[in-house]
Amino acid sequence: MQDLDFEIRIPEETSKLVIQEEFFWLKRDGKEVKLKLHDYAQVYRVPHLYENLMEKLQAKSHTVLSSLLRDQVNKTGGTIEDLVVLEVGAGSGMAGKALKDIGVKSITGIDILPEAAEAAQREHPGIYENYYVEDLTNLSDTVDKALRSRGFNCIVCGSALGFNHIPVGAWSTAFNTITPNSWVVFNVQKERWEDKSETSFLAWHPWVRSMDIFQITQTHDYQHRFYMDGRSLEYVAIIGTKQANISELPPNC
């Protein structure tokens, strides 16, 4: 049982806020402060805060993505234990733990925030073979060489592509380190996935629609979590295989 030194209060004024504006009140050490849910650096600094927030909001993506990956690997006659996973935007390790729970032996995490790496080590020690704190748009030579030589055959990105937490250029760098025929697993808010406008997810990530680069094997609609005000937040999980590197990017990426 976790010994928590904080309390979380969900205020009434969260009604109908968009994801990026959702906030809560954190009471700790006799003080109460307002934090945005996506102020990841601040949230990760407090032990167990992020995962307790996700538990309150009944977050499911980490288990949904790992379960769908397991099912697809099994369906094609593969072996979960043979996966060498690169997790992009690894955060505090929730998805990494879910992958480990289904039998994945080798997981490398990468995130731009040092607070994320510290939280993953603190909350889930031993999950990651390596965890790099790096900007994928400006990789150090050492980490670039390490990633390219590891032989990744699976890339996972949980809830970080749809709102440009991970820019297209950063994703391309990570995607291009995995081998052809590797598994690719990510998720996107449903309304952004279905959007057909010039600013949609698919407009910013044209590689998803290019069968020469990526072939989709499954999409799955599900409830990612609840909003702070109790509304259902719907996502789509996408699983497929890499065919080739991403070589061209849309402007301003």
Side-chain angles (χ1 to χ4, degrees), residues 82-115:
D82 291 338
L83 292 181
V84 182
V85 176
L86 174 61
E87 185 190 352
V88 182
S92 63
M94 287 180 66
K97 182 180 185 304
L99 290 166
K100 186 72 76 172
D101 287 345
I102 65 168
V104 177
K105 302 295 185 184
S106 173
I107 310 168
T108 294
I110 188 164
D111 201 291
I112 199 169
L113 294 176
E115 293 87 353

Side-chain angles (χ1 to χ4, degrees), residues 213-225:
I213 297 174
F214 177 58
Q215 290 192 0
I216 296 175
T217 58
Q218 181 182 12
T219 61
H220 174 72
D221 295 2
Y222 69 101
Q223 181 180 281
H224 167 57
R225 61 169 172 84

Side-chain angles (χ1 to χ4, degrees), residues 15 46 52 60 76 94 109 138 151 168 195-196 198 213 241 250:
S15 179
V46 181
N52 271 268
K60 300 175 183 176
T76 57
M94 287 180 66
N138 188 29
V168 186
D195 183 5
K196 306 300 182 185
E198 294 181 356
I213 297 174
T241 55

Side-chain angles (χ1 to χ4, degrees), residues 28-221:
R28 192 180 188 212
D29 299 328
K31 299 178 181 179
E32 191 171 61
V33 296
K34 178 181 177 180
L35 292 178
K36 285 188 176 181
L37 179 60
H38 284 180
D39 283 343
Y40 290 119
Q42 294 186 63
V43 173
Y44 288 152
R45 289 190 189 110
V46 181
H48 304 293
L49 174 56
Y50 182 73
E51 295 194 9
N52 271 268
L53 273 168
M54 292 300 100
E55 183 178 349
K56 280 183 176 293
L57 300 175
Q58 299 183 35
K60 300 175 183 176
S61 284
H62 54 300
T63 56
V64 168
L65 292 179
S66 59
S67 296
L68 292 173
L69 173 63
R70 177 195 59 207
D71 293 346
Q72 284 295 319
V73 170
N74 290 341
K75 186 181 295 185
T76 57
T79 305
I80 284 292
E81 289 80 3
D82 291 338
L83 292 181
V84 182
V85 176
L86 174 61
E87 185 190 352
V88 182
S92 63
M94 287 180 66
K97 182 180 185 304
L99 290 166
K100 186 72 76 172
D101 287 345
I102 65 168
V104 177
K105 302 295 185 184
S106 173
I107 310 168
T108 294
I110 188 164
D111 201 291
I112 199 169
L113 294 176
E115 293 87 353
E118 291 163 7
Q121 177 59 34
R122 184 181 64 230
E123 258 95 271
H124 300 295
I127 292 294
Y128 294 97
E129 183 177 289
N130 291 292
Y131 194 120
Y132 298 108
V133 177
E134 287 277 334
D135 180 349
L136 280 161
T137 63
N138 188 29
L139 273 181
S140 66
D141 290 341
T142 300
V143 173
D144 183 48
K145 183 177 180 180
L147 294 178
R148 293 183 184 280
S149 65
R150 185 62 187 87
F152 295 114
N153 57 17
C154 179
I155 188 169
V156 175
C157 184
S159 309
L161 277 181
F163 290 94
N164 218 30
H165 295 318
I166 298 172
V168 186
W171 171 253
S172 298
T173 297
F175 186 92
N176 290 351
T177 66
I178 66 174
T179 59
N181 300 312
S182 293
W183 290 104
V184 179
V185 185
F186 62 99
N187 60 349
V188 183
Q189 188 181 9
K190 186 176 181 180
E191 66 182 65
R192 290 185 61 79
W193 178 253
E194 295 176 346
D195 183 5
K196 306 300 182 185
S197 74
E198 294 181 356
T199 58
S200 70
F201 174 81
L202 291 174
W204 281 95
H205 292 269
W207 60 272
V208 175
R209 295 178 293 184
S210 173
M211 293 185 66
D212 292 336
I213 297 174
F214 177 58
Q215 290 192 0
I216 296 175
T217 58
Q218 181 182 12
T219 61
H220 174 72
D221 295 2

